[in-house]
Amino acid sequence: MSAGERDVVVVGGGLLGLLVAEQLAQRHRSVEVLVSPRPDPRSDSQRNHSWLQSGLLYPDNEHARKMYSDGLEMLESFGYPPPTKGGVFRFSSEQEVKVFFDHANKIKLRGKVKEISDDEARTRLGVFYQRGCFHFEVPDAPFPEAALMELARARARAFGAQFRECYVTFERDERAANGYVVVAGGQRMAPTTTISCAGAGTPGLLRALNLAHPLTVSQSVLLVIDDATQIRVPLLADRTSGLTVVSWNRFDSPPRGRLVIGAAERRSLPPEAEDLDRRILPSEEAFLRSLLPPGLNVEKRMQRFTSGQKTDVLVDGRPTIAPWVYAPKEFPGLVFGTPGKATLAYAVAQRILSHIEQPSKPGGANPGEGSGEPPPGTLWHAPIRGHHEPEYDSPHKRRGR
Ligand SMILES: Cc1cc2nc3c(=O)[nH]c(=O)nc-3n(C[C@H](O)[C@H](O)[C@H](O)COP(=O)(O)OP(=O)(O)OC[C@H]3O[C@@H](n4cnc5c(N)ncnc54)[C@H](O)[C@@H]3O)c2cc1C
């Protein structure tokens, strides 16, 4: 297929891009997914906590209501059962517990939170236990995000979607049918439909078309420890300090054995740095260390600091977790999407699809087409790794576009 005849181009191979590509390919649209060159340090979906959010963390957020049900629906559509072991939320004041309960009521999860005794908390939290706190079991748990992405990509390919590694920019072009072109690997394309799922790269693509937008990008620091034995719950969220700990057990499937520890503090990124720079500032590292329990056994060789970027929507001047889908009038067929949370990606993918008409193009891919090896010339071969692979943190690999 020549560049001018492409039906749908999806920019970005994070969770959202893969879900959109899979859905479109199943609808027999001819899809090309443009993914940034590997390794893919900018994919938040490969660097986050993979935490099936219940929404209980976000009392003021209207989207909190849907995080859990949307997340479960996403798992179900890929044949994954809901997680059986819940995580623990910790509070240090009765006032915090009251806010938590009121919110749990509002989002209809009250029946799914259960107070646990101090003894049980001590046993389950290991070195992360803190005396004098209130502990609650919650439905939040890690989910197999990398495996789900792998499956979405495999299905998309089986239905004929093609993947290409290249960095993408957009340009206004009055000669093009829709008023813009997609520039990918030196090639200019004028697709009928372009869906941008570029995560933290989204503001840059919008800017290239002079489109005003409410997105902000910030960076959170994570500490990844190659030992998940120091805690016996899959997840701990300390609501007072903002500390979060997610444990992937080696004996789970897929095998995992890592603690990913994060802190609430975030750094806003200036526009020009928003999609690449991931250096950790000493102050951020020090802040995260200050939240860690003194008994945590962390040898230098089995730990590393990393970071993840987050795209939020400004509402009344405040960054807010919210799905954002935008189809600018001046560019027909162009849709931008960011889910705000991985948990919301499936629902956002559906919303994006509802923006696009569904004609099956003559010459579009048939089901099953492309189910073997990728066609010659397709550069995609990078596997979607388990999260927080050390190679994503290499400054050398980070530079290559
Ligand atoms: C520290 C942290 C922890 C988080 N934890 C959770 C959690 O536990 N649970 C949860 O539900 N959510 C969590 N989130 C949010 C969640 O990770 C994101 O909302 C979600 O991953 C976004 O998916 P995406 O596909 O939109 O973006 P991404 O996964 O970032 O994918 C975008 C892709 O587009 C590519 N790209 C960007 N620009 C270009 C370009 N110009 N050309 C080509 N490719 C490009 C990027 O390389 C990337 O691969 C967390 C976020 C952070 C920062």
Coordinates of all heavy atoms in Angstrom, one line a residue, residues 5-91:
E5 N -2.3 6.0 0.4 CA -3.6 5.2 0.4 C -3.9 4.6 1.8 O -4.8 3.8 2.0 CB -3.4 4.0 -0.5 CG -3.5 4.5 -2.0 CD -3.1 3.3 -2.9 OE1 -2.4 2.4 -2.4 OE2 -3.6 3.3 -4.0
R6 N -3.0 4.9 2.8 CA -3.3 4.3 4.1 C -4.6 4.7 4.6 O -5.1 5.8 4.5 CB -2.2 4.8 5.1 CG -1.0 4.0 5.0 CD 0.1 4.7 5.8 NE 1.3 4.8 4.9 CZ 2.2 3.9 4.7 NH1 2.1 2.8 5.4 NH2 3.2 4.1 3.9
D7 N -5.2 3.7 5.3 CA -6.6 4.0 5.8 C -6.4 4.7 7.2 O -6.8 5.8 7.4 CB -7.3 2.6 5.9 CG -8.7 2.8 6.4 OD1 -9.2 4.0 6.6 OD2 -9.4 1.8 6.7
V8 N -5.9 3.9 8.1 CA -5.7 4.5 9.5 C -4.2 4.4 9.9 O -3.6 3.3 9.8 CB -6.5 3.7 10.5 CG1 -6.5 4.5 11.9 CG2 -8.0 3.5 10.1
V9 N -3.7 5.5 10.4 CA -2.4 5.5 11.1 C -2.6 5.7 12.5 O -3.3 6.7 12.9 CB -1.5 6.6 10.4 CG1 -0.3 6.8 11.3 CG2 -1.0 6.1 9.0
V10 N -2.0 4.9 13.4 CA -2.0 5.0 14.8 C -0.6 5.5 15.2 O 0.3 4.8 14.9 CB -2.5 3.7 15.5 CG1 -2.4 3.9 17.1 CG2 -3.9 3.3 15.1
V11 N -0.5 6.6 15.9 CA 0.8 7.0 16.4 C 0.9 6.6 17.9 O 0.1 7.0 18.7 CB 1.0 8.5 16.3 CG1 2.4 8.9 16.8 CG2 0.8 9.0 14.8
G12 N 2.0 5.8 18.2 CA 2.2 5.4 19.6 C 1.8 4.0 19.9 O 0.7 3.5 19.6
G13 N 2.7 3.2 20.4 CA 2.5 1.8 20.7 C 2.4 1.5 22.2 O 2.9 0.5 22.7
G14 N 1.9 2.5 23.0 CA 1.6 2.2 24.4 C 0.3 1.4 24.5 O -0.2 1.0 23.5
L15 N -0.2 1.3 25.7 CA -1.4 0.5 25.9 C -2.6 1.1 25.0 O -3.3 0.3 24.3 CB -1.8 0.6 27.4 CG -3.1 -0.2 27.8 CD1 -2.9 -1.7 27.4 CD2 -3.4 -0.1 29.2
L16 N -2.8 2.4 25.0 CA -3.9 2.9 24.3 C -3.7 2.7 22.8 O -4.7 2.2 22.1 CB -4.0 4.4 24.6 CG -5.2 5.1 23.9 CD1 -6.5 4.5 24.3 CD2 -5.2 6.6 24.1
G17 N -2.6 3.0 22.2 CA -2.3 2.8 20.8 C -2.6 1.3 20.4 O -3.2 1.0 19.3
L18 N -2.1 0.4 21.2 CA -2.3 -1.0 20.9 C -3.7 -1.4 20.9 O -4.2 -2.2 20.1 CB -1.4 -1.9 21.8 CG 0.1 -1.7 21.6 CD1 0.8 -2.5 22.7 CD2 0.5 -2.2 20.2
L19 N -4.5 -0.9 21.9 CA -5.9 -1.3 22.0 C -6.7 -0.7 20.8 O -7.5 -1.4 20.3 CB -6.5 -0.8 23.3 CG -6.0 -1.4 24.6 CD1 -6.6 -0.8 25.9 CD2 -6.2 -2.9 24.7
V20 N -6.4 0.5 20.5 CA -7.0 1.1 19.3 C -6.7 0.3 18.0 O -7.6 0.0 17.2 CB -6.6 2.6 19.2 CG1 -7.0 3.2 17.8 CG2 -7.2 3.4 20.3
A21 N -5.4 0.0 17.9 CA -5.0 -0.7 16.7 C -5.7 -2.1 16.6 O -6.2 -2.5 15.5 CB -3.5 -0.9 16.7
E22 N -5.8 -2.7 17.7 CA -6.4 -4.1 17.8 C -7.9 -4.0 17.4 O -8.4 -4.7 16.6 CB -6.2 -4.7 19.2 CG -6.7 -6.1 19.3 CD -7.9 -6.2 20.1 OE1 -8.5 -5.2 20.6 OE2 -8.3 -7.4 20.4
Q23 N -8.6 -3.0 17.9 CA -10.0 -2.8 17.6 C -10.2 -2.5 16.2 O -11.1 -3.0 15.5 CB -10.6 -1.7 18.5 CG -10.6 -2.0 20.0 CD -11.7 -3.0 20.3 OE1 -12.8 -2.7 20.0 NE2 -11.4 -4.1 21.0
L24 N -9.4 -1.6 15.7 CA -9.6 -1.2 14.3 C -9.3 -2.3 13.3 O -10.0 -2.6 12.3 CB -8.6 0.0 13.9 CG -9.1 1.3 14.5 CD1 -7.9 2.3 14.4 CD2 -10.3 1.9 13.6
A25 N -8.2 -3.1 13.6 CA -7.8 -4.2 12.7 C -8.9 -5.2 12.7 O -9.3 -5.8 11.7 CB -6.5 -4.8 13.2
Q26 N -9.5 -5.4 13.9 CA -10.6 -6.4 14.0 C -11.8 -5.9 13.1 O -12.6 -6.7 12.7 CB -11.1 -6.6 15.4 CG -10.2 -7.4 16.2 CD -11.0 -8.1 17.3 OE1 -12.1 -8.5 17.2 NE2 -10.3 -8.2 18.5
R27 N -11.9 -4.6 13.0 CA -13.0 -4.1 12.1 C -12.6 -4.0 10.7 O -13.2 -3.3 9.9 CB -13.4 -2.7 12.6 CG -14.2 -2.7 14.0 CD -14.1 -1.3 14.5 NE -15.1 -1.0 15.6 CZ -14.9 -1.4 16.8 NH1 -13.9 -2.2 17.2 NH2 -15.8 -1.1 17.7
H28 N -11.6 -4.7 10.3 CA -11.1 -4.8 9.0 C -10.6 -3.4 8.4 O -10.6 -3.2 7.2 CB -12.1 -5.4 8.0 CG -12.8 -6.6 8.6 ND1 -12.0 -7.6 9.2 CD2 -14.1 -7.0 8.6 CE1 -12.9 -8.5 9.6 NE2 -14.1 -8.2 9.3
R29 N -10.2 -2.5 9.2 CA -9.5 -1.3 8.7 C -8.1 -1.7 8.5 O -7.5 -2.5 9.2 CB -9.6 -0.2 9.8 CG -11.0 0.1 10.2 CD -11.8 0.8 9.2 NE -11.3 2.1 8.8 CZ -11.9 3.3 9.2 NH1 -13.0 3.2 9.9 NH2 -11.4 4.4 8.8
S30 N -7.5 -1.0 7.4 CA -6.1 -1.3 7.2 C -5.3 -0.3 8.1 O -5.5 0.9 8.0 CB -5.7 -1.1 5.8 OG -6.0 0.2 5.3
V31 N -4.6 -0.8 9.0 CA -4.0 0.0 10.1 C -2.5 -0.1 10.0 O -1.9 -1.2 9.9 CB -4.4 -0.6 11.5 CG1 -3.9 0.3 12.6 CG2 -5.9 -0.7 11.6
E32 N -1.8 1.0 10.2 CA -0.4 1.0 10.4 C -0.1 1.7 11.7 O -0.6 2.8 12.0 CB 0.4 1.8 9.3 CG 1.9 1.8 9.5 CD 2.7 2.2 8.4 OE1 2.2 3.0 7.5 OE2 3.8 1.7 8.3
V33 N 0.6 1.1 12.6 CA 1.0 1.6 13.9 C 2.4 2.1 13.9 O 3.3 1.3 13.5 CB 0.8 0.6 15.0 CG1 0.9 1.2 16.4 CG2 -0.5 -0.2 14.9
L34 N 2.6 3.4 14.2 CA 3.9 3.9 14.2 C 4.4 4.0 15.6 O 3.8 4.8 16.4 CB 3.9 5.3 13.5 CG 3.3 5.3 12.1 CD1 3.2 6.7 11.5 CD2 4.2 4.5 11.1
V35 N 5.4 3.3 15.9 CA 5.9 3.2 17.3 C 7.3 3.8 17.4 O 8.1 3.7 16.4 CB 5.9 1.8 17.9 CG1 4.5 1.2 17.9 CG2 6.8 0.9 17.1
S36 N 7.6 4.5 18.4 CA 8.9 5.1 18.5 C 9.9 4.0 18.6 O 9.7 2.9 19.1 CB 9.0 6.1 19.7 OG 8.5 5.4 20.9
P37 N 11.2 4.3 18.1 CA 12.2 3.3 18.0 C 12.5 2.7 19.4 O 12.4 3.3 20.4 CB 13.4 4.0 17.5 CG 12.8 5.3 16.9 CD 11.6 5.6 17.6
R38 N 12.8 1.4 19.4 CA 13.0 0.7 20.7 C 14.4 1.0 21.2 O 15.3 1.3 20.4 CB 12.8 -0.8 20.5 CG 13.9 -1.4 19.7 CD 13.8 -2.9 19.8 NE 15.0 -3.5 19.1 CZ 15.4 -4.7 19.4 NH1 14.9 -5.4 20.2 NH2 16.5 -5.1 18.7
P39 N 14.8 0.8 22.4 CA 13.8 0.6 23.5 C 12.9 1.8 23.7 O 13.3 2.9 23.3 CB 14.6 0.3 24.7 CG 15.9 1.0 24.5 CD 16.1 1.0 23.0
D40 N 11.8 1.6 24.2 CA 10.8 2.7 24.2 C 10.7 3.3 25.6 O 9.8 3.1 26.3 CB 9.5 2.0 23.8 CG 8.5 3.0 23.4 OD1 8.8 4.2 23.4 OD2 7.4 2.6 23.0
P41 N 11.7 4.2 25.9 CA 11.7 4.7 27.3 C 10.5 5.7 27.5 O 10.3 6.0 28.7 CB 13.0 5.5 27.3 CG 13.3 5.8 25.9 CD 12.7 4.8 25.1
R42 N 9.9 6.1 26.5 CA 8.8 7.1 26.7 C 7.4 6.4 26.9 O 6.5 7.1 27.1 CB 8.7 8.1 25.6 CG 9.8 9.1 25.7 CD 9.9 9.8 24.4 NE 10.4 8.9 23.4 CZ 10.3 9.1 22.1 NH1 9.6 10.2 21.7 NH2 10.8 8.3 21.3
S43 N 7.4 5.1 26.9 CA 6.1 4.5 27.0 C 5.7 4.3 28.5 O 6.3 3.5 29.2 CB 6.0 3.1 26.4 OG 4.7 2.6 26.6
D44 N 4.8 5.1 29.0 CA 4.4 5.0 30.4 C 3.8 3.6 30.7 O 4.0 3.1 31.8 CB 3.4 6.1 30.7 CG 4.1 7.4 31.0 OD1 5.3 7.4 31.1 OD2 3.4 8.4 31.2
S45 N 3.2 3.1 29.7 CA 2.5 1.8 29.9 C 3.6 0.7 30.2 O 3.3 -0.3 30.7 CB 1.7 1.4 28.7 OG 1.0 2.4 28.2
Q46 N 4.8 1.0 29.9 CA 5.9 0.0 30.2 C 6.7 0.4 31.4 O 7.6 -0.3 31.8 CB 6.8 -0.2 29.0 CG 6.1 -0.8 27.8 CD 7.0 -1.1 26.7 OE1 8.2 -1.1 26.8 NE2 6.4 -1.4 25.5
R47 N 6.3 1.5 32.1 CA 7.1 2.0 33.2 C 6.2 2.3 34.4 O 6.7 2.7 35.4 CB 7.8 3.2 32.8 CG 8.7 3.0 31.6 CD 9.2 4.4 31.1 NE 10.2 4.9 32.1 CZ 11.4 4.7 32.1 NH1 12.0 3.9 31.2 NH2 12.2 5.2 33.0
N48 N 4.9 2.1 34.3 CA 4.1 2.5 35.4 C 4.0 1.4 36.5 O 4.8 0.5 36.5 CB 2.7 3.0 34.9 CG 2.0 1.8 34.3 OD1 2.3 0.7 34.4 ND2 1.0 2.1 33.5
H49 N 3.0 1.5 37.4 CA 2.9 0.4 38.4 C 2.1 -0.8 37.9 O 2.0 -1.7 38.6 CB 2.1 1.0 39.6 CG 2.9 1.9 40.4 ND1 2.8 3.3 40.4 CD2 3.9 1.7 41.4 CE1 3.6 3.9 41.2 NE2 4.3 2.9 41.8
S50 N 1.4 -0.6 36.7 CA 0.5 -1.7 36.3 C -0.5 -2.0 37.4 O -0.7 -3.2 37.7 CB 1.2 -3.0 35.9 OG 1.9 -2.8 34.8
W51 N -1.1 -1.0 37.9 CA -2.0 -1.1 39.0 C -3.4 -1.0 38.6 O -3.8 0.1 38.0 CB -1.5 0.0 40.0 CG -2.4 0.3 41.1 CD1 -3.6 -0.1 41.4 CD2 -2.0 1.2 42.2 NE1 -4.0 0.5 42.6 CE2 -3.1 1.3 43.1 CE3 -0.8 2.0 42.4 CZ2 -3.0 2.1 44.2 CZ3 -0.8 2.8 43.6 CH2 -1.9 2.8 44.4
L52 N -4.2 -2.0 38.8 CA -5.6 -1.9 38.5 C -6.3 -1.0 39.5 O -6.5 -1.4 40.6 CB -6.2 -3.3 38.5 CG -7.7 -3.4 38.3 CD1 -8.0 -3.1 36.8 CD2 -8.2 -4.8 38.6
Q53 N -6.5 0.2 39.1 CA -6.9 1.2 40.0 C -8.4 1.1 40.3 O -9.2 0.9 39.3 CB -6.7 2.6 39.4 CG -5.3 2.9 39.1 CD -4.6 3.7 40.2 OE1 -5.2 4.0 41.2 NE2 -3.3 3.9 40.0
S54 N -8.8 1.1 41.5 CA -10.3 1.1 41.8 C -10.8 2.5 41.8 O -12.1 2.7 41.8 CB -10.5 0.5 43.2 OG -9.9 1.4 44.2
G55 N -10.0 3.5 41.8 CA -10.5 4.9 41.9 C -10.6 5.4 43.4 O -10.8 6.5 43.6
L56 N -10.3 4.4 44.3 CA -10.4 4.8 45.7 C -9.4 5.8 46.1 O -9.5 6.5 47.1 CB -10.3 3.6 46.6 CG -11.5 2.6 46.7 CD1 -11.1 1.3 47.2 CD2 -12.6 3.3 47.5
L57 N -8.3 5.9 45.4 CA -7.3 6.9 45.7 C -7.7 8.3 45.4 O -7.0 9.3 45.9 CB -6.0 6.6 44.8 CG -5.0 5.7 45.2 CD1 -3.8 5.8 44.2 CD2 -4.5 5.9 46.6
Y58 N -8.7 8.5 44.6 CA -8.9 9.9 44.1 C -10.3 10.4 44.5 O -11.2 10.5 43.6 CB -8.8 9.9 42.5 CG -7.5 9.3 42.1 CD1 -7.4 8.0 41.6 CD2 -6.3 10.0 42.3 CE1 -6.2 7.4 41.2 CE2 -5.1 9.4 41.9 CZ -5.1 8.2 41.4 OH -3.9 7.6 41.0
P59 N -10.5 10.9 45.7 CA -11.8 11.3 46.2 C -12.5 12.4 45.4 O -13.7 12.4 45.3 CB -11.5 11.7 47.6 CG -10.2 11.2 48.0 CD -9.4 11.0 46.7
D60 N -11.7 13.3 44.8 CA -12.3 14.4 44.2 C -12.5 14.2 42.7 O -12.9 15.1 41.9 CB -11.5 15.7 44.3 CG -11.3 16.0 45.7 OD1 -12.2 15.8 46.5 OD2 -10.2 16.6 46.1
N61 N -12.2 13.0 42.2 CA -12.1 12.8 40.8 C -13.4 12.1 40.2 O -13.7 11.0 40.7 CB -10.9 12.0 40.4 CG -10.6 12.0 39.0 OD1 -11.5 11.7 38.2 ND2 -9.4 12.3 38.6
E62 N -14.1 12.7 39.3 CA -15.3 12.1 38.8 C -15.0 10.8 38.0 O -15.9 10.0 37.9 CB -16.1 13.1 37.9 CG -15.3 13.5 36.7 CD -16.2 14.3 35.7 OE1 -17.1 13.8 35.2 OE2 -15.8 15.5 35.5
H63 N -13.8 10.7 37.5 CA -13.5 9.5 36.7 C -13.2 8.3 37.6 O -13.2 7.2 37.1 CB -12.4 9.8 35.8 CG -12.7 10.9 34.9 ND1 -13.5 10.8 33.8 CD2 -12.3 12.2 34.9 CE1 -13.6 12.0 33.2 NE2 -12.9 12.8 33.9
A64 N -13.0 8.6 38.9 CA -12.7 7.5 39.8 C -13.7 6.4 39.8 O -13.4 5.2 40.0 CB -12.5 8.1 41.2
R65 N -15.0 6.9 39.7 CA -16.1 6.0 39.7 C -15.9 4.8 38.7 O -16.4 3.7 38.9 CB -17.3 6.8 39.3 CG -18.6 6.4 39.9 CD -19.7 7.4 39.6 NE -19.3 8.7 39.1 CZ -19.6 9.1 37.9 NH1 -20.2 8.3 37.0 NH2 -19.2 10.3 37.5
K66 N -15.3 5.1 37.5 CA -15.3 4.1 36.5 C -14.0 3.3 36.4 O -13.9 2.4 35.6 CB -15.5 4.9 35.1 CG -16.9 5.4 35.0 CD -17.2 5.9 33.6 CE -17.5 4.7 32.7 NZ -16.8 4.6 31.5
M67 N -13.0 3.8 37.1 CA -11.6 3.1 36.9 C -11.7 1.6 37.1 O -11.1 0.9 36.3 CB -10.6 3.7 37.9 CG -10.2 5.1 37.5 SD -8.9 5.7 38.6 CE -8.9 7.4 38.1
Y68 N -12.4 1.2 38.1 CA -12.3 -0.3 38.4 C -13.1 -1.0 37.4 O -12.7 -2.0 36.8 CB -12.9 -0.5 39.8 CG -12.6 -1.9 40.4 CD1 -11.3 -2.4 40.4 CD2 -13.7 -2.7 40.8 CE1 -11.1 -3.7 40.9 CE2 -13.4 -3.9 41.3 CZ -12.1 -4.4 41.3 OH -11.9 -5.7 41.8
S69 N -14.4 -0.6 37.1 CA -15.2 -1.4 36.2 C -14.6 -1.3 34.8 O -14.6 -2.3 34.1 CB -16.6 -0.8 36.2 OG -16.7 0.5 35.9
D70 N -14.1 -0.2 34.4 CA -13.4 -0.1 33.1 C -12.2 -1.0 33.0 O -11.9 -1.7 32.0 CB -13.0 1.3 32.7 CG -14.2 2.2 32.3 OD1 -15.3 1.6 32.1 OD2 -14.0 3.4 32.1
G71 N -11.4 -1.0 34.1 CA -10.2 -1.9 34.1 C -10.6 -3.3 34.0 O -10.0 -4.1 33.3
L72 N -11.7 -3.7 34.8 CA -12.1 -5.1 34.8 C -12.6 -5.5 33.4 O -12.3 -6.6 32.9 CB -13.2 -5.4 35.8 CG -12.8 -5.4 37.2 CD1 -14.0 -5.7 38.1 CD2 -11.6 -6.4 37.5
E73 N -13.3 -4.6 32.7 CA -13.8 -4.9 31.4 C -12.6 -5.1 30.4 O -12.7 -5.9 29.5 CB -14.7 -3.7 30.9 CG -15.6 -4.0 29.8 CD -16.4 -2.8 29.4 OE1 -16.7 -1.9 30.2 OE2 -16.7 -2.7 28.2
M74 N -11.6 -4.3 30.6 CA -10.4 -4.4 29.7 C -9.8 -5.8 29.9 O -9.5 -6.5 29.0 CB -9.4 -3.3 30.1 CG -8.1 -3.4 29.4 SD -7.1 -1.9 29.5 CE -6.7 -1.8 31.2
L75 N -9.7 -6.2 31.2 CA -9.1 -7.6 31.4 C -9.9 -8.6 30.8 O -9.5 -9.6 30.2 CB -8.9 -7.8 32.9 CG -7.9 -7.0 33.7 CD1 -7.8 -7.4 35.1 CD2 -6.5 -7.2 33.0
E76 N -11.3 -8.5 31.1 CA -12.2 -9.5 30.6 C -12.1 -9.7 29.1 O -12.1 -10.8 28.5 CB -13.6 -9.1 31.0 CG -14.6 -10.3 30.9 CD -16.0 -9.8 31.2 OE1 -16.2 -8.8 31.8 OE2 -16.9 -10.5 30.7
S77 N -12.0 -8.5 28.4 CA -12.0 -8.6 26.9 C -10.8 -9.3 26.4 O -10.7 -9.8 25.3 CB -12.1 -7.2 26.3 OG -10.9 -6.6 26.4
F78 N -9.7 -9.4 27.2 CA -8.5 -10.2 26.8 C -8.4 -11.5 27.5 O -7.4 -12.2 27.5 CB -7.3 -9.4 27.1 CG -7.1 -8.3 26.1 CD1 -7.7 -7.0 26.2 CD2 -6.4 -8.5 24.9 CE1 -7.6 -6.1 25.3 CE2 -6.2 -7.5 24.0 CZ -6.9 -6.3 24.1
G79 N -9.5 -11.9 28.2 CA -9.6 -13.3 28.8 C -8.8 -13.4 30.1 O -8.5 -14.5 30.6
Y80 N -8.5 -12.2 30.8 CA -7.9 -12.3 32.1 C -8.9 -12.2 33.2 O -9.8 -11.4 33.2 CB -6.9 -11.2 32.3 CG -5.6 -11.3 31.4 CD1 -5.5 -10.5 30.3 CD2 -4.6 -12.2 31.8 CE1 -4.4 -10.7 29.5 CE2 -3.5 -12.3 31.0 CZ -3.4 -11.6 29.9 OH -2.3 -11.7 29.1
P81 N -8.8 -13.1 34.2 CA -9.8 -13.1 35.3 C -9.5 -11.9 36.2 O -8.3 -11.4 36.2 CB -9.5 -14.4 36.0 CG -8.2 -14.8 35.7 CD -7.8 -14.2 34.3
P82 N -10.4 -11.4 36.9 CA -10.1 -10.3 37.8 C -9.2 -10.7 38.9 O -9.1 -11.9 39.2 CB -11.5 -10.0 38.5 CG -12.4 -11.0 38.1 CD -11.8 -11.8 37.0
P83 N -8.3 -9.9 39.4 CA -7.4 -10.3 40.4 C -8.1 -10.8 41.7 O -9.1 -10.3 42.1 CB -6.6 -9.0 40.8 CG -7.3 -7.9 40.1 CD -8.3 -8.4 39.1
T84 N -7.5 -11.8 42.3 CA -8.1 -12.3 43.5 C -7.6 -11.7 44.8 O -8.2 -11.7 45.8 CB -7.9 -13.9 43.6 OG1 -6.5 -14.1 43.3 CG2 -8.8 -14.6 42.5
K85 N -6.3 -11.3 44.8 CA -5.7 -10.7 46.0 C -5.7 -9.2 45.9 O -5.1 -8.6 45.0 CB -4.3 -11.2 46.1 CG -4.1 -12.6 46.6 CD -2.7 -12.9 46.9 CE -2.4 -14.3 46.6 NZ -1.1 -14.5 46.0
G86 N -6.3 -8.6 46.9 CA -6.4 -7.1 46.9 C -5.2 -6.5 47.6 O -4.4 -7.2 48.3
G87 N -5.0 -5.2 47.5 CA -4.0 -4.5 48.1 C -4.4 -3.9 49.4 O -5.5 -4.2 49.9
V88 N -3.5 -3.1 50.0 CA -3.8 -2.5 51.3 C -3.6 -1.0 51.2 O -2.6 -0.5 50.6 CB -2.8 -3.0 52.4 CG1 -2.9 -2.2 53.7 CG2 -3.1 -4.5 52.7
F89 N -4.6 -0.2 51.7 CA -4.5 1.2 51.9 C -4.2 1.5 53.3 O -4.8 0.9 54.2 CB -5.7 1.9 51.5 CG -5.9 2.1 50.0 CD1 -5.1 1.5 49.1 CD2 -6.8 3.0 49.5 CE1 -5.2 1.7 47.7 CE2 -7.0 3.2 48.1 CZ -6.2 2.6 47.2
R90 N -3.3 2.5 53.6 CA -3.0 2.8 55.0 C -3.2 4.3 55.2 O -2.9 5.1 54.4 CB -1.5 2.5 55.2 CG -1.0 2.9 56.5 CD 0.4 2.2 56.8 NE 1.5 2.9 56.1 CZ 2.6 2.3 55.9 NH1 2.9 1.1 56.2 NH2 3.6 3.0 55.2
F91 N -3.8 4.5 56.4 CA -4.1 5.9 56.8 C -3.6 6.2 58.2 O -3.6 5.2 59.0 CB -5.7 6.1 56.8 CG -6.3 5.8 55.5 CD1 -6.8 4.5 55.3 CD2 -6.5 6.7 54.5 CE1 -7.4 4.1 54.1 CE2 -7.1 6.4 53.3 CZ -7.6 5.1 53.1

